[in-house]
Amino acid sequence: MRTVGNDLVRSQLHENRKWYLGLGALLVVFGIVLLAALPFATLTVIYIFGALMMLGGIIHFIAAFKIFEGGYRWFWALFGVLYLIAGYYAFSTPVKTAIVLTNILAIILIIAGVIRIFNALLFRAFQGWGWTLFSGILTLVTGVIILMSPDAPFWVLGLFLAVDILFQGVNYLTLASYIRREVPKSSAEQ
């Protein structure tokens, strides 16, 4: 019985391998295109952010009037309004939104870097604390560079998106290669 389940899983992996391969190749191409056009990639991030904020506003309104009652209803409706305003702001002023989001990202990186450095110093007695220290310093320096770079809003968010898409593509390609090399075909396919 167990062999039948394993055969089914192996068969499905081999059937889907071409989809992993195609999706991986497509994502790698998109990642490279976005890397070549970072301002466009950043604009894409801003519009995705705006759309998600507006969707969040609509969901908050639905929740306010379908789920909640009394004072909570107006609290959720207020959040809906704030989300809609943030989404509208992203669509109407994408450059300002990119500046704001990039600065928030830089500040978060600086805070995270300081916390990691502090944690590394607290745990000096433990093996591997140096890697935590290195990670903290790298995160802190990245945040400072982003915050001090006047043109960062035009490339940072796009770079994060492009690198993420590129690595997702590489991940799918690696999975497809692994399936071809390492996963034996089911006994029915052999």
Side-chain angles (χ1 to χ4, degrees), residues 155-176:
W155 60 268
V156 168
L157 299 174
L159 180 66
F160 276 79
L161 176 67
V163 169
D164 180 60
I165 288 175
L166 182 65
F167 278 101
Q168 289 298 322
V170 169
N171 186 35
Y172 279 114
L173 291 174
T174 303
L175 176 61

Side-chain angles (χ1 to χ4, degrees), residues 95-125:
V95 173
K96 287 182 183 178
T97 303
I99 292 168
V100 168
L101 291 178
T102 302
N103 287 336
I104 289 171
L105 174 66
I107 291 167
I108 290 171
L109 288 172
I110 290 169
I111 292 169
V114 168
I115 290 170
R116 286 182 188 161
I117 291 168
F118 183 70
N119 281 339
L121 296 176
L122 283 177
F123 295 107
R124 278 192 314 251

Side-chain angles (χ1 to χ4, degrees), residues 3 5 10 20 33 36 47-48 66 72 75 120 128 134 139 146 169-170 178 183 186:
T3 313
R10 287 194 299 259
Y20 298 139
V33 167
Y47 286 142
I48 290 171
K66 292 287 186 183
Y72 291 114
F75 187 65
F134 176 71
T139 304
I146 291 171
V170 169
Y178 174 79
V183 176
S186 67

Side-chain angles (χ1 to χ4, degrees), residues 40-53 87 90-94 97:
F40 172 74
T42 296
L43 190 61
T44 302
V45 170
I46 298 306
Y47 286 142
I48 290 171
F49 171 79
L52 290 175
M53 293 304 284
F91 279 109
S92 63
T93 58
T97 303

Side-chain angles (χ1 to χ4, degrees), residues 8-72:
L8 181 62
V9 170
R10 287 194 299 259
S11 176
Q12 286 176 341
L13 282 172
H14 281 282
E15 283 179 26
N16 293 330
R17 185 182 155 284
K18 64 181 173 254
W19 291 105
Y20 298 139
L21 192 61
L23 181 60
L26 190 62
L27 288 174
V28 166
V29 168
F30 281 158
I32 291 170
V33 167
L34 289 173
L35 279 173
L38 288 178
F40 172 74
T42 296
L43 190 61
T44 302
V45 170
I46 298 306
Y47 286 142
I48 290 171
F49 171 79
L52 290 175
M53 293 304 284
M54 289 190 150
L55 180 63
I58 292 167
I59 291 171
H60 274 81
F61 268 118
I62 292 170
F65 295 104
K66 292 287 186 183
I67 299 172
F68 296 101
E69 296 176 6
Y72 291 114

